[in-house]
Amino acid sequence: MAKIKVRKIGNSLGVILPKDSGISEGDELEYTKEDETIKLSLVEAQKAHDRALIEKSFEDVEKGNLHTEEEMKQIFGKYGWGK
């Protein structure tokens, strides 16, 4: 188990999490305290990340930037599209 040092940040306390924690700047984590254990949940942060990806993917549809099946085969055929 890795240790993380608690630091003073303004009038609050905080911790610095390693990059490989799967957390990005601005993510909002839920926490619960159970006896002497504090648990951080990534569930809502992951949902927000997925929601942002989905919304971004629909931007092309809203702009009418669509491709036909044949165009997709030409663009992505080398990756196996249309086989």
Side-chain angles (χ1 to χ4, degrees):
M1 178 184 303
K3 292 186 178 186
I4 299 174
K5 187 173 186 175
V6 177
R7 302 169 189 269
K8 183 173 170 109
I9 302 174
N11 290 331
S12 300
L13 298 174
V15 296
I16 306 296
L17 300 171
K19 286 184 181 181
D20 65 358
S21 65
I23 301 169
S24 299
E25 183 177 349
D27 285 351
E28 292 185 12
L29 307 177
E30 291 184 348
Y31 78 93
T32 55
K33 183 177 179 198
E34 298 172 8
D35 298 320
E36 294 156 0
T37 302
I38 294 176
K39 293 183 179 184
L40 298 176
S41 173
L42 300 173
V43 172
E44 290 303 316
Q46 290 170 337
K47 283 182 187 177
H49 179 263
D50 292 348
R51 190 175 302 115
L53 285 176
I54 291 168
E55 289 175 4
K56 179 139 180 67
S57 70
F58 279 105
E59 287 177 4
D60 285 338
V61 173
E62 291 170 353
K63 293 177 185 174
N65 186 15
L66 304 172
H67 297 289
T68 65
E69 182 74 19
E70 207 47 51
E71 291 170 324
M72 294 299 282
K73 285 180 186 177
Q74 291 175 359
I75 296 168
F76 298 107
K78 63 183 174 186
Y79 303 110
W81 185 281
K83 290 185 179 183

